[in-house]
Amino acid sequence: MDETAEKVSQSFMKEFNLPREFINHEAITNAYYTYEKCESMANMIKNRVNFEPKVAIVCGSGLGDIGNLLENAVFIAYSEIPEFPRTTVLGHKGNLIFGNLSGMPVVCMQGRFHPFEGYSMALCTLPIKIFKLLGCKVVVLTNAAGGLNRSLNVGDIMLIKDHMSLPLLSLKNPLIGVNDDRFGPRFVPINKLYSKNLRDLFKECSKELNIPINEGVYGTIGGPSYETVADSKFCLASGMDCVGMSTSHEAIVAAYCGLKVLACSIITDMAPIDYDDHDPDHSEIVKIAAAKAKHLERLICSFLKKLKDNLNLLD
Ligand SMILES: O=P(O)(O)O[C@@H]1C[C@H](O)[C@@H](CO)O1
């Protein structure tokens, strides 16, 4: 168990006098990061930046340069925020960046947290709750993913219309635990998770900029190992178009908190469906994502500009 999770478990067990094995890891995290604690984290950030972001952008592996596009940027390192997790993965820097992008006030998460780093799903999604408390209305989630559907190619951008998360189907949901209605409701419908209005806006940007995009289903696996050939075949047959190790749980917590979600994958490699297929390699994945990020950046900038002119879509 990582150090943060250990601290969290101990405080929970002490308060409720329960043995560790009785408690779900998600429930422990949610009990520790109370609404009040999240509010005080958000207040600390507000005091530092004095800026109200409307959109939060989460940068996937190799996609952190999106954060460098912000005007009048103010950086806060994750290490400066008490009880905020730390990034441990190559291609994830560890800064919140506040500033304007295409005239829209945004906060950019330059580096995300993944369950395979040892963090609970609830801890991985803590930043989404903080974004809500900072005043955000929309989250834009980005990631690097392996293509399963052979009509996708390395370098393609895939707009996520739905997801399938293997960890979330088996009691690894970040919303497990005592619910605080101030964040959101106990039961959350997620059949319209990836906003159709926002996807339509993004598709308009794709047409106008002449940057082709695909639309499909993102699959989440736990990682950090990639897929076996049998895993890939199973995922493809189940309806996933690409596969990664993030995003789905962040989207669910965003919906729970009442935020609208837009999400995109960059296809950085093809997940192996044959024993002769190329091995996925994280440093190559980061390089390819960074090399292909320019198109995604242009699309996001154009999307934010349109969103600014269509604020009714946020209602
Ligand atoms: O943060 P994302 O989802 O972009 O990172 C992907 C998934 C794994 O963390 C890693 C695998 O190479 O990249």
Side-chain angles (χ1 to χ4, degrees):
M1 196 181 274
D2 67 90
E3 206 186 316
T4 317
E6 183 66 37
K7 216 167 77 189
V8 166
S9 325
Q10 276 172 11
S11 110
F12 188 92
M13 287 184 298
K14 204 163 132 210
E15 191 177 342
F16 296 97
N17 196 23
L18 288 167
R20 167 181 297 153
E21 54 274 26
F22 277 36
I23 315 281
N24 175 292
H25 207 163
E26 309 307 326
I28 296 171
T29 315
N30 284 323
Y32 184 77
Y33 285 92
T34 58
Y35 189 88
E36 285 73 20
K37 189 182 276 288
C38 292
E39 218 172 26
S40 87
M41 293 167 87
N43 287 340
M44 175 259 154
I45 295 169
K46 279 183 197 167
N47 290 338
R48 263 289 290 278
V49 294
N50 191 23
F51 179 85
E52 186 167 312
K54 285 269 164 291
V55 177
I57 304 173
V58 179
C59 301
S61 287
L63 297 171
D65 278 352
I66 298 170
N68 299 332
L69 302 173
L70 272 51
E71 287 160 27
N72 304 320
V74 179
F75 283 66
I76 303 185
Y78 297 168
S79 56
E80 295 176 80
I81 308 169
E83 308 205 56
F84 206 70
R86 306 281 186 271
T87 51
T88 67
V89 180
L90 170 74
H92 292 264
K93 279 192 178 149
N95 294 307
L96 288 184
I97 313 175
F98 294 81
N100 289 310
L101 190 55
S102 298
M104 179 69 87
V106 307
V107 52
C108 189
M109 197 176 165
Q110 201 177 38
R112 65 149 57 88
F113 311 114
H114 306 84
F116 65 76
E117 294 174 75
Y119 298 128
S120 63
M121 288 283 183
L123 198 51
C124 291
T125 52
L126 172 72
I128 306 289
K129 290 180 174 169
I130 305 285
F131 295 149
K132 165 73 180 176
L133 295 172
L134 290 175
C136 291
K137 306 283 184 223
V138 173
V139 297
V140 176
L141 306 172
T142 67
N143 62 59
L148 288 164
N149 186 327
R150 265 35 198 176
S151 69
L152 291 169
N153 292 297
V154 170
D156 282 357
I157 294 171
M158 192 195 88
L159 181 58
I160 299 177
K161 71 170 179 200
D162 201 352
H163 78 228
M164 187 181 301
S165 167
L166 298 180
L168 294 189
L169 287 176
S170 50
L171 274 179
K172 274 279 170 199
N173 192 302
L175 303 179
I176 288 172
V178 176
N179 190 56
D180 190 323
D181 293 342
R182 287 173 293 178
F183 280 126
R186 168 76 295 182
F187 297 104
V188 189
I190 54 170
N191 47 317
K192 297 186 184 72
L193 183 49
Y194 298 92
S195 158
K196 176 156 188 329
N197 286 345
L198 297 188
R199 280 187 286 131
D200 286 347
L201 214 57
F202 199 80
K203 286 181 208 167
E204 277 178 32
C205 303
S206 147
K207 278 205 189 103
E208 285 170 20
L209 295 173
N210 199 18
I211 300 177
I213 55 171
N214 303 271
E215 200 174 27
V217 176
Y218 174 84
T220 302
I221 58 160
S225 50
Y226 295 101
E227 308 69 53
T228 63
V229 169
D231 290 336
S232 296
K233 285 184 174 163
F234 167 78
C235 290
L236 183 60
S238 307
M240 301 177 195
D241 294 301
C242 69
V243 63
M245 303 175 192
S246 66
T247 303
S248 308
H249 36 282
E250 297 165 349
I252 286 179
V253 173
Y256 163 69
C257 292
L259 303 178
K260 301 252 187 291
V261 182
L262 180 92
C264 280
S265 298
I266 290 203
I267 306 303
T268 48
D269 56 293
M270 295 309 290
I273 52 165
D274 219 316
Y275 291 98
D276 297 330
D277 282 350
H278 184 67
D279 295 354
D281 174 282
H282 184 64
S283 47
E284 254 178 56
I285 285 169
V286 169
K287 262 193 221 145
I288 290 175
K292 301 289 178 185
K294 280 282 161 281
H295 278 172
L296 184 59
E297 289 171 10
R298 286 181 62 208
L299 284 165
I300 290 176
C301 289
S302 152
F303 167 78
L304 293 175
K305 207 164 173 191
K306 276 192 194 291
L307 189 60
K308 209 171 127 248
D309 298 334
N310 290 278
L311 287 176
N312 58 316
L313 296 180
L314 301 184
D315 298 336

